[in-house]
Amino acid sequence: MNPAGLIPSPDPIPVAWGWFHVLLLFTFVVHLLVMNTMLGSGIIALLSHLRGRSETRSDSEDISRTLPYAIAFAVNTGVAPLLFLQVLYGHLFYASSILMGVYWISIVGILILAYYSAYLYDFKYETLAGGRVFLIGLSVLIFLFIAFLFSNNLTLMLEPSRWEIYFERPEGTFLNLMEPTLLPRYLHFVVASVAVGGLFLAWMGHFKKAGDSRRNGLAQTERGLKWFSNATLIQLLVGFWFLLSLPDEVMTRFMGERLPDTLLFMAALTGVVLSLFFGFNSRLVPATLSLFGTVVLMALVRDLVRQAYLDPFFHVSSLRVVPQYSPLAVFLGCLVLGLFVVVWVLRLAAKAGKEGGR
Amino acid sequence: MNYPIWEIWTIGGPFFIAVISILHVFVAHFAVGGGLFLVLTEIKARREQSPEMLAFTRRHAKFFMLLTMVFGNVTGVGIWFIIALVHPAATSILIHTFVFGWAIEWVFFVGEIVCLFVYFYTFEKMSSRDHLTVGWLYFVFAWLSLLVINGIVGFMLTPGTWAKSGDFWEGFLNPSFFPSLGFRTFLSLMIAGLFGFLTATRVSAPPVRDVLVRYTARWLYWPILALPVFAYWYLSVIPEGPGRMILGASPEMAPFVRAFLSLMPVLFVGGILMAVRLPFGLRQPLAWVLLFCGLAYMGSFEWIREGARRPFIIQGLMFSTGVLPSQEGEIQQQGMLATARWVREREPGPKNVEVQGKALFNLQCLPCHTVNGLYKDIIPLTKDWTYRGMVSQLTGQGRIKPYMPPFMGTEKEKEVLASFIAHTLHQRPKHEEKPFVFEEQPFDMPSFDPAPDACVLLAWNDLGMHCVSDNDRWFSILPPANTLEAVLIRRGETPEPVVEDVILTYRVESGFASPWKEVDFWEWAQKVYGRRLPEGTGLAGKGLEGEMVYDPKGKVYVAEKVPVVPYRDVNGRKMYNPYPLFTIEAKDRETGKLLARTEVVAPVSTEMGCRNCHGGPWRWNGISGISDETATNILRVHDRNSKTDLLKRAEKGEPLLCQGCHADPALNAQGRGDVLNLSAAMHGWHAVYMSGMEADACALCHPASLGGNTRCGRDIHTRLGISCVTCHGHMEDHSISLNKGENSKPQARSILAALEPQGSVPKEEIRARTPWVNEPDCLSCHEGFEKPVKESSGFNQWTEKGEDLYRMRFDETASLRCIACHGATHALYPAINPVSRDRDTIQPLQYGKMPYPIGSNETCTICHSEPMEDEAHHANMARAFRNVVQAEHQGPHDPGSRGIR
């Protein structure tokens, strides 16, 4: 069966595809950073509990307080790229989602479970003592499973030639397990999360104030940067595994066959090298900036990988445009206004935090 | 069509959507109204300088945050997940149309989250003015996000002018935007109150608790007052179809509408009760009860909103199956299997029923139904239908009952899907019905001695076939009631009908004299017909033998409504015979001398083919009659479609006569003025489900099937291959003419809207008719009593009055009825009877020694003493009978098989 015949026909879009492309990439990077923070800090908190060393106890405690925020914003910032993904790639994404429908819809329920578990971990941190490792453990395991499902869906979406499996398994129980890039891709995201989580921990330490806290803060920053650097080192290895597991025609694009793709990849690798350098040298701000740069560049590489996979089947430029730009304009207006208000509210909160009450 | 179908047979996609969505909107509306609740309560707390109230506000804010942030937010995304899995085509349209609407809503979500976090976590730390500002900002963001999603959801029911323009703003600010926004805004305030009760009733200090509970109660009973206003406004803007669905057209919606209407006052009263000082122990449980009432209220509202839209997922634009109405023509032509993407076997064929039937089922049925599942389970819904019934259901689907889409596909695919449901899902055995084999039941031909003043006794049944519904315990359409007529002609120069001083008697042949042992008509006559009848006596007081009465208007002797049935019992041996013979004798009244004797068939059949679609066996010895199973299936369907309670009544021992409601000239029944006459109702309704057929449609119900146990078409027309359709029209055309006759009634209008004629007469030209009165006429084809031209048709040329009917008409001498010499309709001489060959032509053979009409081939001397030259009775009669060859050499028409049931 010709796999192209299975690809549903896409609906027209209301503005030129470039707008959606930029919005998708931008909001995806934001989501990636927040999601990495959530997953990574959760993993660090869990591992800290399991290692049981006294000096890392404050790490878990601090993370327990920030984890609910991280989850809230991870979910919220996930909505935007999910929206734009559906606009550009919905016809592919829905098909792959249906193939793994049972797993995909389970995310709703288990995410709520993980989220409430994280709140319990936060609010009952003191009183639960020994029990809290189970709470954070549950949350982290669920997040890891959800991440695995996302990796499944987003890879399956790119492989229409595998969709024939529907005729054997129409109940939505198919996972793309035979995909060679699945495991390295998944691990690449998980390890990246640990790196970003470590960086987050480092910044938490950085913002601890004078006195006793200051010393603990410095130590926490050290620990955070160590998580960051070690994870980034492992990332390098996992990344190469990921690269090598790609189909040849995709991989070679980044290894010299296509100039822009290769240059971009090289730039991203440079970012990794810089991150490692600044990380191991405990230079917090440069390490953070390198990390941001690397994430942005790697997200662009990921987008090029997607395009390469879909090359025989579909390109976003083929989407028909039925133009109406006024809703976009209103959205951008609301975005600017909304951000203004949000920044203003956060400033109020910061002020209240300093002044400590009415 | 475009996408693969997620084959979740048991849970069912729509049910999944309903659970996730209703839980989400309940919490989401709380997220809006609760925002205002927090701000106003904080203001109240600060104004009254109550630290306890402030503490309550903070605790409520924590509860609020935990519920709306986690459960509310995630289930919101969950809706995106589930709708894309279950209705990807529609979801794609919504996403691509309203992407920036959702993007705008997302900005408001960011604002909500930040404001709520700040509001809660800086509760004691921020200045009161700033804190309240943050609270207000939260509420504004929340309400704005409601505003946006309200537009998108409303679009699905009232797309308004977007259908033509594709304009985002026209789709967003659609006809139901404002009534829906108003309704949801006040609903969210009410829900804020309901959740407020949960925390307010838990406040520990009694005086503060009382104040807070009473305060919260105001959030319940004030907003409720606004709800009916907006609900009514909402109802007034939705399109006619969905409006009718809500107001009763959909039987499934009724309980939700009832719940919605009854819970409003319940919640209002609940609010008042909470405001009153109830004992502590009652307030907390009542808070939970009210919360669940609120959930049920919201759930029924959303269910009504979604359900009213059936069969569309986007009103008027896309069916729930993901198919566009504009694609219907293409799919009927090429087939759904050829058009849908995710199908492997595209050519329908008998070997592929399992695979293709399942594919068609998944594409067309699964979007709304489950299999052995929780909701709209297809198994109980289709279990009473035979395969034939399933084909009929698919033919008529969506054409008169508005809440399903039409079946999309070729005729072959329809059969494949019907077979899948009947044979695969229900495991109904496939069997070919073999032609019925009649038992030979011989009779003696009466003799005739043409002495100079002898009498010729002609007799006939007024109808060519009288049908009987033989399960009165459940309902009755037609009682045992054959009417025999006879005329006694004294031979001579001018033959004269004898109308006085003679006694004409009738007597049924052996084995038919105890019909009460075979049918339950007498048991139920009191209930159904309002008359207590002695066993064996018919509705006109006549039994199986007796005296005929002279009718001066019809100029014949009549035995009215003789209650004969086709069930013969000869010394305990049961035989089926739909053509029982009656011996008619004419005797001199004074002397008792026998003047003439003849025999005549009283055709009576219980072969009502309801079971062909409605299922069930034959009632009587596996041969004929309506069984209990068939009868109850029929009543159940009638109750469902027409909102009656016939089944319950019959179970209580109160069966009805159909003509009690449905007028019928055949029984002289007036019926009810607001209901169609029986013929218009039966044919009209069933024509929707039996379109595109030839005379096989007729034979599915009427005893005309060529392989059946009656084969009522016994005359030359049938043998020439002329079917019911030539005179009566195809099923659709037939029904159109009947329903035009009832055009003042809305039921007729909806039937007419659903039917298109198959024959050559355009719909506007089809003439209205009253059943039993305006009928096809022989002379429409046999113009001038001549041979008809090949393309002749009796359709649409109706008799004007009852007296103009063939069976009532007189010859040109105005003294002899046509039927006397030519025989009854559908059994005109020469007829061949399936039980015994000559049963239907006894008098022609007795008097003329030929099976042709009396006097054929210039045998005027049957009645006249001399041969005649004038064509006194009617034109073109003085010649050789035309259809001799066919009559002699053509045997009974090959019955063939009746096909798969």
Side-chain angles (χ1 to χ4, degrees):
Chain A
M1 187 163 217
N2 177 17
L6 288 177
I7 301 177
S9 18
D11 284 316
I13 51 179
V15 299
W17 66 269
W19 283 98
F20 292 117
H21 196 207
V22 167
L23 284 166
L24 174 61
L25 289 170
F26 179 71
T27 56
F28 178 66
V29 167
V30 172
H31 171 68
L32 202 54
L33 289 168
V34 179
M35 184 272 286
N36 283 354
T37 307
M38 173 192 86
L39 180 58
S41 62
I43 291 175
I44 291 173
L46 177 63
L47 290 177
S48 300
H49 279 304
L50 292 175
R51 283 214 197 122
R53 282 198 236 124
S54 54
E55 59 270 20
T56 57
R57 217 177 295 158
S58 64
D59 295 343
S60 315
E61 192 172 335
D62 292 335
I63 289 172
S64 78
R65 274 190 233 114
T66 56
L67 194 56
Y69 292 118
I71 300 174
F73 286 110
V75 172
N76 178 263
T77 56
V79 168
L82 183 60
L83 173 64
F84 299 120
L85 178 76
Q86 289 179 80
V87 174
L88 291 179
Y89 299 103
H91 54 300
L92 299 158
F93 178 62
Y94 294 160
S96 55
S97 303
I98 289 168
L99 288 176
M100 52 181 287
V102 174
Y103 292 104
W104 190 242
I105 198 60
S106 75
I107 291 177
V108 180
I110 59 178
L111 179 56
I112 292 175
L113 198 59
Y115 203 157
Y116 277 128
S117 182
Y119 260 114
L120 267 177
Y121 179 64
D122 175 9
F123 288 155
K124 305 272 185 211
Y125 191 87
E126 300 300 329
T127 52
L128 277 174
R132 29 180 206 240
V133 68
F134 292 106
L135 290 172
I136 185 66
L138 180 65
S139 295
V140 169
L141 281 172
I142 289 176
F143 291 141
L144 285 171
F145 182 58
I146 291 174
F148 180 64
L149 293 178
F150 266 88
S151 294
N152 261 282
N153 200 349
L154 275 309
T155 49
L156 186 57
M157 174 183 120
L158 304 175
E159 302 258 36
S161 52
R162 220 166 268 154
W163 292 356
E164 268 195 317
I165 193 74
Y166 170 75
F167 298 108
E168 323 300 325
R169 307 261 292 266
E171 320 88 17
T173 54
F174 176 69
L175 285 175
N176 200 15
L177 298 175
M178 69 269 264
E179 166 64 36
T181 64
L182 179 62
L183 196 52
R185 175 193 278 253
Y186 171 63
L187 287 176
H188 200 57
F189 276 102
V190 174
V191 175
S193 302
V194 176
V196 175
L199 205 55
F200 177 73
L201 189 66
W203 277 98
M204 271 210 291
H206 180 79
F207 281 115
K208 285 204 171 144
K209 296 308 160 201
D212 213 24
S213 302
R214 182 89 193 120
R215 214 182 29 245
N216 291 334
L218 282 168
Q220 193 170 60
T221 303
E222 269 309 308
R223 286 195 297 275
L225 280 169
K226 214 159 124 209
W227 279 107
F228 171 72
S229 310
N230 289 332
T232 306
L233 198 56
I234 300 175
Q235 258 305 61
L236 207 51
L237 298 168
V238 175
F240 274 114
W241 179 16
F242 188 4
L243 177 69
L244 294 171
S245 69
L246 291 170
D248 284 337
E249 61 273 19
V250 176
M251 181 176 66
T252 51
R253 289 189 186 207
F254 302 96
M255 314 247 292
E257 193 199 286
R258 285 194 185 207
L259 193 57
D261 301 35
T262 310
L263 283 177
L264 190 67
F265 184 54
M266 291 299 132
L269 280 179
T270 313
V272 176
V273 169
L274 286 172
S275 305
L276 278 171
F277 176 74
F278 290 124
F280 279 117
N281 281 300
S282 304
R283 306 267 302 278
L284 182 57
V285 171
T288 307
L289 291 172
S290 311
L291 183 273
F292 278 2
T294 309
V295 168
V296 170
L297 292 165
M298 280 299 186
L300 292 172
V301 170
R302 176 180 174 274
D303 187 59
L304 288 175
V305 169
R306 172 163 57 206
Q307 283 182 42
Y309 265 91
L310 289 177
D311 199 38
F313 304 113
F314 168 74
H315 191 272
V316 286
S317 58
S318 69
L319 290 170
R320 192 165 73 94
V321 181
V322 179
Q324 190 173 17
Y325 279 82
S326 56
L328 168 61
V330 173
F331 160 60
L332 291 172
C334 287
L335 182 62
V336 168
L337 260 169
L339 284 174
F340 256 115
V341 175
V342 161
V343 166
W344 186 76
V345 168
L346 286 172
R347 282 175 125 162
L348 276 186
K351 196 172 73 173
K354 286 200 184 79
E355 289 167 10
R358 51 206 271 1
Chain B
M1 271 259 303
N2 215 358
Y3 290 91
I5 309 283
W6 184 19
E7 198 179 294
I8 36 170
W9 272 18
T10 314
I11 293 186
F15 184 75
F16 235 142
I17 295 179
V19 169
I20 297 179
S21 309
I22 291 173
L23 289 174
H24 170 74
V25 296
F26 194 51
V27 172
H29 280 61
F30 174 40
V32 177
L36 187 63
F37 183 87
L38 282 171
V39 170
L40 293 185
T41 312
E42 185 182 340
I43 290 175
K44 180 183 169 75
R46 291 193 193 278
R47 192 182 35 209
E48 293 175 21
Q49 295 187 333
S50 162
E52 297 94 342
M53 230 182 258
L54 207 57
F56 161 74
T57 310
R58 185 192 177 151
R59 266 201 316 280
H60 189 72
K62 183 174 180 182
F63 164 64
F64 182 76
M65 181 181 74
L66 285 173
L67 185 57
T68 63
M69 280 286 204
V70 181
F71 193 82
N73 282 358
V74 178
T75 51
V77 184
I79 296 181
W80 258 4
F81 273 41
I82 192 66
I83 63 173
L85 288 171
V86 177
H87 289 299
T91 307
S92 181
I93 290 188
L94 291 177
I95 289 275
H96 287 82
T97 306
F98 292 110
V99 49
F100 292 116
W102 262 306
I104 292 167
E105 193 188 5
W106 173 77
V107 173
F108 299 146
F109 283 148
V110 175
E112 266 180 79
I113 293 175
V114 170
C115 287
L116 184 54
F117 274 144
V118 169
Y119 182 83
F120 175 67
Y121 283 107
T122 65
F123 212 101
E124 299 297 355
K125 299 188 210 131
M126 205 180 261
S127 73
S128 64
R129 203 191 61 167
D130 287 346
H131 194 245
L132 284 168
T133 307
V134 174
W136 278 112
L137 280 171
Y138 169 82
F139 172 63
V140 167
F141 277 127
W143 187 81
L144 285 174
S145 68
L146 170 65
L147 182 144
V148 174
I149 194 63
N150 172 67
I152 299 173
V153 173
F155 164 82
M156 293 174 75
L157 180 58
T158 58
T161 52
W162 181 89
K164 292 205 183 68
S165 65
D167 182 82
F168 173 92
W169 300 107
E170 288 179 34
F172 183 73
L173 296 167
N174 56 75
S176 64
F177 180 84
F178 285 109
S180 172
L181 184 62
F183 186 84
R184 288 184 185 280
T185 301
F186 284 97
L187 189 61
S188 56
L189 299 181
M190 186 194 92
I191 294 177
L194 289 174
F195 277 103
F197 282 139
L198 288 187
T199 41
T201 53
R202 290 177 116 84
V203 169
S204 43
V208 182
R209 182 176 64 229
D210 286 339
V211 168
L212 281 170
V213 172
R214 252 182 295 131
Y215 161 77
T216 307
R218 276 188 256 145
W219 285 79
L220 193 54
Y221 56 74
W222 282 121
I224 283 188
L225 295 176
L227 293 179
V229 175
F230 285 102
Y232 184 76
W233 185 11
Y234 202 154
L235 188 62
S236 72
V237 299
I238 63 179
E240 200 204 327
R244 263 190 283 124
M245 294 272 283
I246 295 174
L247 296 174
S250 163
E252 202 228 358
M253 289 263 268
F256 294 101
V257 177
R258 275 198 300 270
F260 179 74
L261 292 173
S262 53
L263 282 167
M264 243 192 280
V266 165
L267 287 162
F268 183 78
V269 169
I272 306 279
L273 278 179
M274 287 297 256
V276 163
R277 187 181 258 148
L278 284 178
F280 171 71
L282 280 183
R283 266 179 169 164
Q284 276 211 328
L286 184 57
W288 283 102
V289 168
L290 287 176
L291 189 71
F292 281 106
C293 287
L295 178 62
Y297 179 71
M298 175 123 230
S300 54
F301 164 67
E302 301 290 354
W303 200 287
I304 292 168
R305 182 187 54 76
E306 290 278 310
R309 212 178 45 218
R310 294 182 197 142
F312 295 103
I313 186 82
I314 301 177
Q315 179 66 27
L317 298 173
M318 180 182 269
F319 289 120
S320 299
T321 48
V323 177
L324 307 174
S326 55
Q327 291 175 294
E328 187 176 348
E330 178 201 348
I331 299 176
Q332 311 292 33
Q333 286 270 2
Q334 294 171 7
M336 172 149 274
L337 295 172
T339 324
R341 252 180 222 287
W342 290 72
V343 166
R344 226 182 346 199
E345 311 279 354
R346 295 197 185 275
E347 275 305 311
K351 288 209 202 83
N352 288 334
V353 165
E354 300 268 345
V355 172
Q356 293 183 324
K358 185 147 96 104
L360 287 166
F361 179 83
N362 284 347
L363 284 163
Q364 308 225 26
C365 316
L366 199 57
C368 298
H369 290 278
T370 58
V371 183
N372 291 315
L374 302 169
Y375 168 67
K376 286 230 254 324
D377 187 355
I378 203 78
I379 299 292
L381 288 172
T382 56
K383 75 167 165 50
D384 296 334
W385 305 116
T386 61
Y387 160 75
R388 171 97 248 132
M390 218 38 244
V391 174
S392 305
Q393 153 62 24
L394 292 171
T395 304
Q397 186 174 295
R399 293 166 59 195
I400 193 156
K401 288 198 279 188
Y403 45 86
M404 288 180 72
F407 171 79
M408 302 262 195
T410 59
E411 284 302 306
K412 207 81 209 282
E413 290 179 332
K414 190 194 293 180
E415 287 164 16
V416 167
L417 178 56
S419 179
F420 176 74
I421 295 175
H423 301 129
T424 309
L425 288 183
H426 285 289
Q427 294 290 303
R428 278 183 178 270
K430 288 187 221 192
H431 58 266
E432 293 241 350
E433 297 248 326
K434 295 205 182 48
F436 181 73
V437 175
F438 290 91
E439 280 207 55
E440 187 52 49
Q441 290 166 70
F443 66 95
D444 291 320
M445 180 67 68
S447 61
F448 173 58
D449 172 20
D453 62 350
C455 291
V456 172
L457 180 58
L458 299 174
W460 58 88
N461 193 76
D462 71 337
L463 297 173
M465 176 56 64
H466 175 73
C467 295
V468 173
S469 63
D470 64 343
N471 203 336
D472 288 44
R473 182 213 186 305
W474 296 107
F475 62 86
S476 180
I477 304 179
L478 290 168
N482 278 60
T483 295
L484 299 167
E485 296 180 328
V487 63
L488 183 66
I489 301 171
R490 189 172 296 278
R491 298 186 69 244
E493 225 177 284
T494 310
E496 287 279 342
V498 180
V499 301
E500 51 197 3
D501 299 328
V502 288
I503 297 178
L504 265 65
T505 57
Y506 66 96
R507 187 180 69 245
V508 75
E509 67 175 309
S510 71
F512 289 95
S514 314
W516 60 87
K517 293 190 184 154
E518 308 296 338
V519 299
D520 61 359
F521 167 72
W522 283 274
E523 209 185 307
W524 296 98
Q526 172 73 55
K527 282 269 151 75
V528 176
Y529 292 92
R531 313 250 307 275
R532 187 171 291 284
L533 296 167
E535 284 174 344
T537 304
L539 286 164
K542 293 286 179 204
L544 277 306
E545 63 179 277
E547 195 177 318
M548 298 175 87
V549 176
Y550 184 69
D551 165 34
K553 187 149 171 276
K555 300 187 183 165
V556 290
Y557 282 85
V558 186
E560 241 193 288
K561 303 201 176 82
V562 174
V564 65
V565 297
Y567 304 132
R568 194 177 191 187
D569 183 328
V570 177
N571 299 324
R573 203 165 141 254
K574 307 275 184 192
M575 285 185 283
Y576 180 76
N577 186 344
Y579 301 105
L581 283 171
F582 278 76
T583 305
I584 316 288
E585 288 179 334
K587 293 194 175 117
D588 186 280
R589 188 182 286 279
E590 273 189 46
T591 63
K593 172 168 170 243
L594 180 67
L595 300 169
R597 174 197 287 137
T598 191
E599 309 243 328
V600 68
V601 148
V604 57
S605 176
T606 52
E607 193 193 352
M608 290 192 170
C610 321
R611 60 182 284 267
N612 282 323
C613 291
H614 291 275
W618 287 118
R619 183 184 74 82
W620 191 85
N621 293 303
I623 295 175
S624 199
I626 299 176
S627 60
D628 290 347
E629 188 184 326
T630 311
T632 50
N633 287 350
I634 292 169
L635 292 181
R636 201 173 298 120
V637 174
H638 189 287
D639 286 341
R640 191 179 144 82
N641 289 327
S642 305
K643 299 199 217 318
T644 50
D645 61 348
L646 300 174
L647 183 60
K648 216 163 28 131
R649 279 202 207 214
E651 281 167 344
K652 278 203 318 232
E654 309 277 332
L656 290 179
L657 176 67
C658 305
Q659 289 90 334
C661 294
H662 296 278
D664 189 357
L667 293 193
N668 245 325
Q670 301 306 311
R672 277 170 43 178
D674 58 341
V675 159
L676 295 176
N677 68 48
L678 186 66
S679 194
M682 286 291 277
H683 291 103
W685 180 265
H686 288 91
V688 175
Y689 292 91
M690 296 164 74
S691 304
M693 301 170 80
E694 295 295 324
D696 46 337
C698 319
L700 278 173
C701 306
H702 293 279
S705 165
L706 297 172
N709 65 37
T710 308
R711 303 182 203 176
C712 69
R714 291 103 72 198
D715 67 16
I716 191 81
H717 297 97
T718 311
R719 293 207 304 284
L720 287 173
I722 297 171
S723 71
C724 325
V725 164
T726 312
C727 301
H728 295 283
H730 291 87
M731 180 78 168
E732 304 94 299
D733 309 50
H734 183 70
S735 308
I736 290 171
S737 66
L738 285 164
N739 278 276
K740 280 202 182 183
E742 293 277 79
N743 209 6
S744 57
K745 299 176 185 164
Q747 304 95 310
R749 288 197 291 274
S750 55
I751 285 173
L752 286 169
L755 293 176
E756 284 306 314
Q758 239 198 90
S760 56
V761 180
K763 195 169 174 182
E764 331 68 82
E765 291 177 31
I766 294 179
R767 292 160 61 205
R769 53 175 286 258
T770 303
W772 298 102
V773 174
N774 311 120
E775 293 289 343
D777 186 34
C778 325
L779 296 174
S780 305
C781 294
H782 292 271
E783 291 184 43
F785 296 88
E786 298 276 353
K787 172 179 171 172
V789 293
K790 208 91 192 328
E791 316 78 48
S792 308
S793 158
F795 180 73
N796 213 31
Q797 301 168 76
W798 315 128
T799 55
E800 247 191 74
K801 308 187 291 296
E803 300 87 81
D804 299 327
L805 291 169
Y806 158 77
R807 64 183 178 89
M808 312 277 279
R809 232 177 15 231
F810 286 89
D811 71 342
E812 271 154 51
T813 68
S815 55
L816 200 52
R817 295 265 292 274
C818 306
I819 196 173
C821 297
H822 286 276
T825 42
H826 306 106
L828 300 166
Y829 307 136
I832 294 183
N833 188 282
V835 174
S836 337
R837 211 191 118 99
D838 298 326
R839 248 177 212 255
D840 277 311
T841 48
I842 292 175
Q843 281 139 50
L845 287 165
Q846 176 188 5
Y847 298 114
K849 307 285 182 275
M850 310 176 283
Y852 310 130
I854 308 289
S856 294
N857 293 336
E858 303 183 77
T859 53
C860 319
T861 47
I862 289 175
C863 295
H864 293 269
S865 45
E866 277 147 33
M868 295 280 115
E869 274 168 23
D870 282 337
E871 296 183 321
H873 294 288
H874 64 78
N876 201 26
M877 62 179 288
R879 59 168 185 72
F881 188 73
R882 194 163 41 83
N883 287 308
V884 167
V885 173
Q886 285 91 326
E888 297 275 14
H889 294 283
Q890 192 157 6
H893 202 77
D894 178 15
S897 97
R898 279 208 279 172
I900 303 174
R901 211 181 74 81

